[in-house]
Amino acid sequence: MRNIFAIKRGERLLCLVAFLAFVGLNWLMIAYNYGLFTRGGNLGFWGLFFDHYTVSGYDNLSYMTISRWKIYYQLYRHPLLPTFFYPFYLLNHWLMDLTHTNYAIFIVAFFNVLTATYSCLFIYRIFTEVQELRKKDALLLTIFFFSFASILLTSFVPDHFIFSLFFLTMTLYIAGRAMKREDGRMKAWQTMLLSFFATGITFTNIAKIGLADLFVNGKRTFRIKHFFLVFILPLGALFAIYSYQQTTFVEPDTKLQARVKEKKLKKDQKFAAKYEKQHEFMKSRTGTQVANNRFFEWTDLSSSRTDAIIENLFGESIQLHQEHVLEDVNKSRPIIVRYSSVLNYIAEAMIIILFLGGIIVGRKEKFLQLCLAWFATDIVLHIILGFGIIEVYIMGAHWLFVIPIAITYLFKCIRQRRVLIGARLLIATLSLTLMVYNLSLIIPFMLRGFVAPH
């Protein structure tokens, strides 16, 4: 297989424009609290970042990890992330000693721009090479995808979702190309590497890698040698990494923090009152769990599914709400926010209708069936089980690409030129409207957090 990271001549302009756009978006994140977030030295980085960072519900744990080595991530969900960031912590620590400046925001921005640019490239290739869409229409739908609110945000916030988007779009591209070849197979080493890295970023990605292998390789997926190489081996390696970090770093630190917290609760009444208030607030945000177990701590059986789907899943994921812009539901944002204008609901309805139309037209296509199987895993996880349902909109990078992929089949079935021009105008109008609307809310919010260097 040719090097999928090599940029072909016809893709260079797209990649250049995407690169510059993502540099601009990441500049917003660098400017956000710049004077505070570049402070170096022996500081309380948890308080520095936690108290002064709020961009929706996206985490800033990568900033903390690169600033001071500690396992901030929940390892059973993100076993590989601390290991990945460790060399960059060492680099940042060395630079911090030399310059007294924290370069975490620049290191994270570098990876955001790189992975976002390649995610854009993989999406475009899915449209052109896998679905064989006209290049102008592929470009239009690529812009449409990146006009979605959570995709714009994912491209510059210091969270793990851009890495997931990178590996998931790569997986779909590899699987789609394999479906078109005569042998119709994904190589074992491809699935093995994807299983290791994508699952290491977010553990639930293993379901999607497994589905991709199953749709492409069929019964071969369950052959003992293949199954061992592509699933058991990478999962075993991730478990070993998880176990080492858990016993070496997490458990000793957890015991230490518990002792420190206990002492502080006894001695500092203000801290105790603040801690109790925050504890009660977080309880109010927690619905009925599937089971009383840490693996189900984010599940929620009691929250309204209708509101979650309308306002969050197909709402905030695609177009931000005018009220409580980019507030964190675990800090100040209400669980459900309504749009101030009926036009937002009209736009949402149009996108859902296009999505459903694409599904109906392309329902017999194997590649779309794979994408819908992926989408179904997210629906089961977030809507049925309620995992992270109160902020499901921050997880759009895991599934939103299914919408333009489905719409592609509408474009392919149109034969009349006038109808095709109408479809292009509709997607172009939606893309431009969403891009302008979302950025008009994002940019002022991010620039309000600008703090000049001292």
Side-chain angles (χ1 to χ4, degrees):
M1 188 184 78
R2 64 179 174 83
N3 181 9
I4 62 173
F5 300 109
I7 300 172
K8 296 179 290 187
R9 181 175 297 177
E11 300 168 337
R12 291 173 187 171
L13 182 58
L14 169 66
C15 288
L16 176 61
V17 173
F19 173 82
L20 293 175
F22 295 131
V23 166
L25 288 171
N26 277 272
W27 177 86
L28 290 174
M29 193 71 251
I30 290 172
Y32 180 83
N33 284 329
Y34 177 87
L36 292 173
F37 291 175
T38 53
R39 288 180 180 178
N42 186 22
L43 305 175
F45 289 110
W46 172 271
L48 177 68
F49 289 115
F50 184 81
D51 292 343
H52 299 95
Y53 170 93
T54 300
V55 182
S56 195
Y58 295 98
D59 291 332
N60 56 19
L61 301 183
S62 55
Y63 283 172
M64 297 183 193
T65 305
I66 295 172
S67 300
R68 173 170 292 148
W69 173 248
K70 184 179 176 181
I71 306 294
Y72 295 100
Y73 293 97
Q74 291 182 313
L75 280 178
Y76 68 91
R77 289 169 51 205
H78 314 291
L80 200 59
L81 281 175
T83 303
F84 171 77
F85 283 122
Y86 183 70
F88 303 101
Y89 151 75
L90 294 176
L91 172 64
N92 188 44
H93 184 70
W94 175 68
L95 291 171
M96 205 184 301
D97 287 343
L98 288 176
T99 65
H100 304 290
T101 298
N102 187 352
Y103 291 90
I105 60 174
F106 298 101
I107 294 171
V108 171
F110 168 80
F111 285 110
N112 283 347
V113 172
L114 182 66
T115 50
T117 300
Y118 269 104
S119 298
C120 178
L121 179 59
F122 290 140
I123 282 287
Y124 177 76
R125 285 178 177 174
I126 287 169
F127 296 147
T128 56
E129 298 181 27
V130 176
Q131 298 182 282
E132 298 181 342
L133 193 64
R134 306 170 191 88
K135 290 186 177 180
K136 62 175 70 174
D137 293 331
L139 182 60
L140 185 59
L141 285 170
T142 301
I143 296 169
F144 179 58
F145 174 65
F146 280 94
S147 70
F148 294 169
S150 69
I151 303 303
L152 283 171
L153 291 166
T154 292
S155 69
F156 68 83
V157 294
D159 210 324
H160 69 280
F161 292 107
I162 192 60
F163 294 103
S164 274
L165 181 63
F166 170 74
F167 283 112
L168 292 176
T169 52
M170 185 197 304
T171 301
L172 279 181
Y173 174 60
I174 292 171
R177 290 287 295 171
M179 287 179 183
K180 297 180 72 67
R181 291 198 304 268
E182 289 185 8
D183 62 1
R185 296 185 184 184
M186 282 177 68
K187 304 293 190 295
W189 64 268
Q190 292 174 328
T191 307
M192 179 179 67
L193 290 176
L194 291 169
S195 294
F196 179 76
F197 287 107
T199 306
I201 297 300
T202 299
F203 188 75
T204 51
N205 284 341
I206 187 63
K208 294 180 179 178
I209 305 303
L211 284 168
D213 193 87
L214 178 62
F215 268 78
V216 176
N217 292 329
K219 295 180 180 179
R220 289 189 292 269
T221 296
F222 300 105
R223 291 178 182 174
I224 294 176
K225 181 180 178 181
H226 182 86
F227 195 83
F228 176 82
L229 286 174
V230 304
F231 298 119
I232 302 301
L233 190 61
L235 288 177
L238 287 173
F239 181 74
I241 293 170
Y242 163 83
S243 298
Y244 173 77
Q245 293 178 116
Q246 184 72 16
T247 56
T248 306
F249 302 110
V250 175
E251 291 176 2
D253 183 67
T254 301
K255 293 176 182 178
L256 175 63
Q257 294 301 321
R259 290 195 297 268
V260 170
K261 184 177 72 175
E262 186 178 355
K263 290 180 181 178
K264 196 168 183 180
L265 286 171
K266 291 179 180 179
K267 293 182 179 181
D268 190 337
Q269 291 185 351
K270 287 185 178 180
F271 173 79
K274 184 179 178 181
Y275 176 82
E276 182 62 24
K277 184 179 180 181
Q278 179 64 19
H279 180 68
E280 290 300 316
F281 176 78
M282 292 305 295
K283 280 177 65 178
S284 71
R285 305 270 111 167
T286 305
T288 305
Q289 294 179 199
V290 173
N292 188 20
N293 183 291
R294 69 169 181 160
F295 294 103
F296 294 96
E297 63 183 341
W298 270 40
T299 58
D300 182 344
L301 296 177
S302 55
S303 292
S304 168
R305 269 43 182 177
T306 303
D307 284 340
I309 291 171
I310 294 173
E311 303 295 346
N312 291 342
L313 185 74
F314 287 107
E316 182 84 356
S317 297
I318 295 173
Q319 47 184 343
L320 299 174
H321 288 80
Q322 297 93 337
E323 304 295 329
H324 302 281
V325 177
L326 296 182
E327 290 182 19
D328 189 341
V329 73
N330 291 311
K331 292 183 179 180
S332 61
R333 185 187 193 272
I335 293 175
I336 297 298
V337 179
R338 311 289 179 186
Y339 288 110
S340 303
S341 172
V342 70
L343 294 176
N344 294 98
Y345 293 106
I346 293 173
E348 181 178 338
M350 290 174 65
I351 292 169
I352 293 173
I353 290 169
L354 288 168
F355 182 33
L356 292 175
I359 292 172
I360 293 170
V361 171
R363 65 190 182 279
K364 295 182 181 180
E365 297 290 336
K366 191 175 181 181
F367 183 71
L368 181 60
Q369 291 170 2
L370 167 61
C371 294
L372 292 176
W374 278 22
F375 179 57
T377 64
D378 288 287
I379 293 298
V380 170
L381 183 65
H382 299 306
I383 302 302
I384 296 177
L385 296 179
F387 179 84
I389 192 172
I390 63 173
E391 54 177 2
V392 67
Y393 44 84
I394 72 171
M395 304 170 198
H398 288 161
W399 67 273
L400 276 172
F401 43 76
V402 180
I403 292 178
I405 286 174
I407 293 174
T408 295
Y409 292 100
L410 282 178
F411 273 76
K412 291 185 67 176
C413 78
I414 296 174
R415 295 291 179 264
Q416 295 181 354
R417 181 173 176 78
R418 288 183 179 180
V419 178
L420 180 60
I421 292 173
R424 286 170 176 167
L425 286 173
L426 176 60
I427 295 298
T429 301
L430 284 171
S431 301
L432 181 61
T433 303
L434 287 173
M435 189 73 75
V436 171
Y437 171 79
N438 286 322
L439 288 178
S440 72
L441 296 174
I442 290 171
I443 293 173
F445 176 89
M446 297 303 297
L447 292 181
R448 281 201 303 269
F450 178 78
V451 178
H454 295 283

